[in-house]
Amino acid sequence: MKTERPITFLQGGEMRRRSFIRNAIKAGIGTAVALSLPGPGFGNKHKSASYTVGDIMDIILKAVPGAPFAQTVDTLKSGSRDSKVTGVITTMFATVKTIEMAISSGVNFIIAHEPTFYNHTDDKEWVSPNHIVDQKLKLLNDHKITVWRLHDYIHSFVPDGVTYGVVKKAGWLPYFSTGSSILEVPEISLTALAEHLKTSLSIAHLRIIGPGDMPCKKIALLPGASGGQRHMEVVEKNAPDVLVVGEVHEWETAEYIRDTLALGGKTALIVLGHSVSEEPGMEWLQGWLQPQLPGVKVTHVVAGNPFTWV
């Protein structure tokens, strides 16, 4: 889930970055490539090999315009800022299997994009009693594992870290402009586009609405769960050939697209799955963070799709 924030820039180093981007574009490097270059705080490397959780959190926050935010779901779900880090795992969800993997690997810091306790604010009393919440929290506490959610902040990177990770893994960087959900790609059929996304994003299955031979060139890309209202707004404003999303409320976006096609509209739908649609963003984070933490191993663990098809 993503909360839209205005794109803002820090002063000083960011002004130099802007100048570099303008010169890069003039030199023919291209807008998407220039905008993917490191932004504020991206070169802020610590010399020491000893880090606390708070040190690593601060390294990430320094790269986010306007951080820290007054209101955010990006809080510690277990553990402490003062814990000395023995290793870092980036992932979509801090699942029980991921926690067990961290324990067996001697890793004590998990950075997860989505909730640990099954609701957006990680309210442990959301359903009470909840024996699964209790057992999971005990597992984390017994093994002194710190979990930090990185949702609002990674979506506030410039460009959005999740979207950038997805676009990069799909091979669409030449068609990407920061701040935009619309990409113009070489024409491809809906079926071929679905196969491309399955292969490039390592997705076993996905769902589509629309004829397989439908030509697709203008893509609206909204990974995660931005909601039916956002989906419809993007379609109404941009009239894309295909809307590619992470997940839908089936009684909202899916029915809207079905009726769109029945009424002569030309927008198809591809549903990737929530976890797999944003996983590339957390994989990108691992590659971005590792060079800034000499002496600390940063590993990406794929949470995967929880569903099995029968």
Side-chain angles (χ1 to χ4, degrees), residues 13-27 29-30 33-35 37-38:
E14 178 54 20
M15 292 180 67
R16 291 190 294 273
R17 178 177 179 258
R18 280 182 167 183
S19 177
F20 180 83
I21 288 173
R22 286 194 296 268
N23 292 335
I25 293 172
K26 288 179 181 178
I29 292 176
V33 175
L35 288 169
L37 296 170

Side-chain angles (χ1 to χ4, degrees), residues 47-125:
K47 293 182 180 180
S48 171
S50 179
Y51 302 87
T52 65
V53 165
D55 291 333
I56 297 174
M57 292 171 66
D58 289 343
I59 288 172
I60 293 173
L61 294 186
K62 286 178 181 177
V64 180
F69 303 150
Q71 293 186 327
T72 179
V73 295
D74 292 2
T75 57
L76 293 180
K77 310 308 176 183
S78 64
S80 166
R81 279 182 58 96
D82 298 327
S83 296
K84 185 175 179 180
V85 173
T86 59
V88 180
I89 284 176
T90 65
T91 189
M92 266 296 291
F93 288 89
T95 66
V96 169
K97 287 187 177 181
T98 300
I99 295 167
E100 290 173 341
M101 183 180 299
I103 294 167
S104 65
S105 303
V107 171
N108 67 348
F109 188 24
I110 299 174
I111 302 176
H113 184 61
E114 295 294 19
T116 299
F117 298 111
Y118 321 117
N119 65 88
H120 187 52
T121 61
D122 283 293
D123 178 4
K124 300 179 185 68
E125 303 301 320

